[in-house]
Amino acid sequence: MKLAMIMGSPKMRGSISAHLIKEMTKSIGDAGDVFVFNAAKTERFDEVLSCDRLVFVFPLYYDSLPSHVISYLEQLDAFIKEHPTGKKPSVYAVCNLGFYEGYQTKWALGRIQCWANAVGLPWKAGLGIGAGPFIPHLPPEARKRTDKGKEQFLQLLHSGAADDNIYTEPDIPKEMFVEMGNAQWIPLLEANGLTVDDVLHP
C-alpha cells in the first residue's frame, strides 16, 4: 500500500498538520509506504497519483480550505484530465481547527469530497479534529476522544473502507478550552501593546 500524505499547512515548520502526518506515518509503520507532498508545490503529480491512497491534511481556514490547497486541487484536476490512467487512488482528508468543535470541519471536508467526486476518484472518509493546536500539549487522559477518532480513521485508511466522517475534540470542557486559549492570546496582545478591547472593538 502506497500512501500520499499531502501537507496543506502554509507553515514551514511546527504545524499541527505536520504533527498529524508524523503521527499517522508512525502508526502505519511497515503496513505501507508513506510519501509526503506539499500542497504549496504543484509538482510531482504523477508520483501522487501512483499511490493507492491520497490523504489531504490541512488546517481549517474560514470554514474552508487554505487558498493554496484549492489551487493544488485545481491543478491536480487539470493534470488528471490531461493524463488519464486506469488507476484511481482513494481520497481521504484530515482537517484540524483552532475552535473546539471538530464538527466545524464538516464543510471543508465536504469540499474535498466534492473535488474527489468531480475528478472521478473514490471518496472514503474524513477526520475533523477540534482544538487542534492544543492536542499535542494535553495529557493522555484529556486526549482519549481525539485518540479514538484518530484510531478509527487509521483503521479506515488501512482497510480502504468508506464510512461517515469522524469528528472529535479533546476530553476537556469547552469552558476550560476557552480559558486555556485566553491564557495564551491575551498576554501576547499585551506584549504587543494591545488590549482585548482593541481586538473586539477595533
Side-chain angles (χ1 to χ4, degrees):
M1 177 176 62
K2 291 175 60 179
L3 299 98
M5 298 281 183
I6 302 163
M7 155 71 84
S9 173
K11 293 182 179 179
M12 296 296 292
R13 57 182 177 272
S15 73
I16 298 302
S17 297
H19 173 78
L20 292 169
I21 288 174
K22 186 176 180 180
E23 275 191 339
M24 286 189 286
T25 301
K26 183 178 179 180
S27 296
I28 290 166
D30 296 333
D33 296 317
V34 177
F35 302 87
V36 180
F37 301 89
N38 194 324
K41 300 176 181 179
T42 49
E43 57 190 18
R44 300 168 61 194
F45 287 151
D46 54 339
E47 295 179 42
V48 172
L49 295 171
S50 73
C51 293
D52 304 299
R53 317 266 199 273
L54 308 185
V55 188
F56 293 90
V57 187
F58 57 93
L60 185 73
Y61 275 27
Y62 294 95
D63 284 337
S64 189
L65 314 174
S67 60
H68 69 284
V69 175
I70 295 173
S71 177
Y72 184 92
L73 294 173
E74 291 173 342
Q75 293 183 61
L76 184 52
D77 178 9
F79 184 90
I80 291 171
K81 290 175 180 175
E82 292 171 8
H83 305 84
T85 66
K87 190 174 181 65
K88 293 191 178 295
S90 301
V91 179
Y92 300 78
V94 179
C95 180
N96 79 90
L97 75 160
F99 294 117
Y100 181 77
E101 296 87 358
Y103 187 77
Q104 195 165 332
T105 63
K106 173 184 176 181
W107 296 272
L109 294 174
R111 287 173 174 84
I112 299 290
Q113 181 178 2
C114 286
W115 173 85
N117 293 338
V119 300
L121 299 181
W123 165 258
K124 295 296 183 175
L127 171 64
I129 303 176
F134 288 85
I135 299 301
H137 310 290
L138 294 174
E141 59 270 19
R143 298 197 310 263
K144 289 180 180 178
R145 280 205 304 260
T146 303
D147 288 346
K148 182 179 178 180
K150 291 178 185 176
E151 183 179 344
Q152 291 173 335
F153 180 78
L154 281 168
Q155 288 173 354
L156 294 175
L157 200 55
H158 277 289
S159 67
D163 206 341
D164 294 335
N165 291 340
I166 300 163
Y167 303 106
T168 186
E169 50 271 323
D171 292 88
I172 57 174
K174 185 175 180 179
E175 294 76 12
M176 182 182 295
F177 166 75
V178 172
E179 289 179 7
M180 292 167 61
N182 288 340
Q184 287 192 351
W185 73 271
I186 292 177
L188 285 175
L189 280 178
E190 295 172 346
N192 286 277
L194 297 170
T195 67
V196 172
D197 192 62
D198 291 329
V199 174
L200 298 181
H201 306 95

